[in-house]
Amino acid sequence: MRAARLIKMVLLLQSRPSMTAAELAAELEVSERTVARDALALSEAGVPVYADRGRTGGYRLVGGYRTRLTGLERGEAEALFLSGLPGALRDMGLADAASSARLKVSAALLPSLRDAPAAAARRFHLDAPGWYREPETPRWLAPLAEAVWDDRSVLAGYRRGETEVERALDPYGLVLKAGVWYVCARAGSSFRTYRVDRFVSVEVGGERFVREEGFDLAAFWAERSAGFARSILRAEVVLRLTEEGARRLPHVTDRAAAEEALAAGTAGDGRVTVTLRVESEEVAFAQLFGLGPEVEVVAPGSLRERCAEAARRTAGLYR
């Protein structure tokens, strides 16, 4: 515990010209008296920690005591501090490790690049969760992250609909999509994707699995997510759209399906007629009714009548 704190103190002093006892105490979460003892211990161990006395004094390193990452340019240094999502790292139990890594890099940077972390933080912030929802950390995310990092198999309970099943998994990677965590894992001889919030138990095993060399997490996720998006579009609707309706269609329905429908559409009377793949009639109604008079549902008849009835009721409210 103390050894780790001493190392962190050295790295903090490497990353800044000097720090007061109060600043070090706050960063290290100890008392100023402990800071003084640690500084003395470092000095006795040969680390040149110097204490400036007085109101403006503090602690600093002398004699050029530092290590540097050579060849790191400003753009590279700033990009390095954009490589993680603080919330996601915290959820996986990796916040301390990430903080330590950033501190080590900061300490190793040339003085001219010391402001790179602050420059990046002032300009960019990554917020993964979607709108209108409070992000929740799945209960079993941390142990799954541990298994992913250490290539350890897990025995997991998983909720499928109203039933629970048990699965032996080799977790290859975690994906955060619109605030929802997924684990990509090998189950038997095939790879599958599971929502982390549907796990009811996770037991990390003692044995490590051997990763397949050719597995590409990003490519796997892209393929599976595209396949999932296509698989849920099981119904079709025929629409007549105004120019404005055609412009807005990709923003209210599945973008790929909308663009495909518009590309194959036929124009006439100032409107374009398209056949659009949708998840269901219920979902299509919720999506299309927001376009108002910019869209006319031609088929199926049940959806057309539903939209007509909703339009009559809406008109009645504004008489």
Side-chain angles (χ1 to χ4, degrees):
M1 182 79 174
R2 191 189 185 201
R5 189 175 71 240
L6 292 174
I7 292 172
K8 186 174 182 179
M9 184 174 179
V10 172
L11 291 172
L12 283 167
L13 293 174
Q14 272 190 218
S15 65
R16 307 177 195 181
S18 68
M19 294 183 70
T20 66
E23 290 173 335
L24 282 168
E27 289 281 357
L28 300 172
E29 299 180 351
V30 296
S31 67
E32 292 186 28
R33 185 181 295 274
T34 299
V35 168
R37 286 198 297 264
D38 286 351
L40 179 60
L42 288 171
S43 181
E44 291 175 348
V47 179
V49 178
Y50 181 78
D52 290 316
R53 306 297 179 184
R55 294 180 58 187
T56 59
Y59 293 91
R60 60 186 175 88
L61 292 174
V62 296
Y65 188 88
R66 60 173 51 88
T67 58
R68 294 176 177 173
L69 294 177
T70 58
L72 198 63
E73 299 177 355
R74 169 167 294 278
E76 295 170 329
E78 291 177 346
L80 182 62
F81 287 89
L82 291 176
S83 61
L85 294 166
L89 291 168
R90 182 181 61 252
D91 292 345
M92 290 188 290
L94 300 173
D96 290 343
S99 175
S100 177
R102 286 192 295 269
L103 182 57
K104 289 178 181 178
V105 174
S106 295
L109 290 175
L110 294 169
S112 61
L113 300 180
R114 290 277 167 75
D115 65 334
R122 283 195 299 267
R123 289 166 173 80
F124 301 98
H125 175 68
L126 305 177
D127 186 8
W131 290 102
Y132 314 120
R133 59 180 297 172
E134 287 294 328
E136 295 183 2
T137 303
R139 177 182 177 184
W140 301 104
L141 177 60
L144 281 170
E146 176 189 344
V148 167
W149 277 113
D150 213 20
D151 293 342
R152 293 191 181 274
S153 300
V154 301
L155 185 63
Y158 191 72
R159 188 177 67 255
R160 279 195 185 282
E162 300 299 321
T163 62
E164 293 182 6
V165 296
E166 191 173 79
R167 291 284 185 269
L169 304 174
D170 294 339
Y172 270 56
L174 286 163
V175 175
L176 178 60
K177 170 69 171 180
V180 179
W181 284 96
Y182 299 85
V183 61
C184 303
R186 184 174 60 195
S189 59
S190 62
F191 286 92
R192 299 183 181 181
T193 303
Y194 301 87
R195 278 184 60 141
V196 175
D197 58 4
R198 292 181 183 167
F199 282 94
V200 295
S201 65
V202 172
E203 181 181 339
V204 181
E207 295 184 2
R208 287 185 171 88
F209 63 87
V210 178
R211 283 177 170 262
E212 293 187 15
E213 291 294 331
F215 181 81
D216 184 325
L217 179 60
F220 173 80
W221 175 258
E223 178 186 351
R224 289 303 175 93
S225 57
F228 172 75
R230 290 191 301 269
S231 70
I232 64 174
L233 302 179
R234 302 186 181 95
E236 289 186 346
V237 296
V238 180
L239 313 172
R240 294 183 69 239
L241 298 155
T242 64
E243 183 177 341
E244 175 64 12
R247 185 188 69 80
R248 290 167 53 188
L249 186 65
H251 300 286
V252 299
T253 65
D254 180 84
R255 178 175 291 274
E259 292 175 348
E260 180 183 307
L262 290 168
T266 57
D269 298 328
R271 296 199 173 210
V272 58
T273 301
V274 302
T275 299
L276 176 70
R277 293 183 296 118
V278 295
E279 185 175 344
S280 66
E281 186 174 313
E282 182 75 24
V283 172
F285 172 77
Q287 293 173 336
L288 298 173
F289 194 71
L291 294 180
E294 309 302 332
V295 61
E296 175 192 356
V297 175
V298 178
S302 55
L303 179 58
R304 178 181 175 88
E305 180 53 37
R306 185 172 183 179
C307 290
E309 175 60 23
R312 286 191 291 268
R313 291 175 58 193
T314 300
L317 296 174
Y318 293 94
R319 287 176 182 168

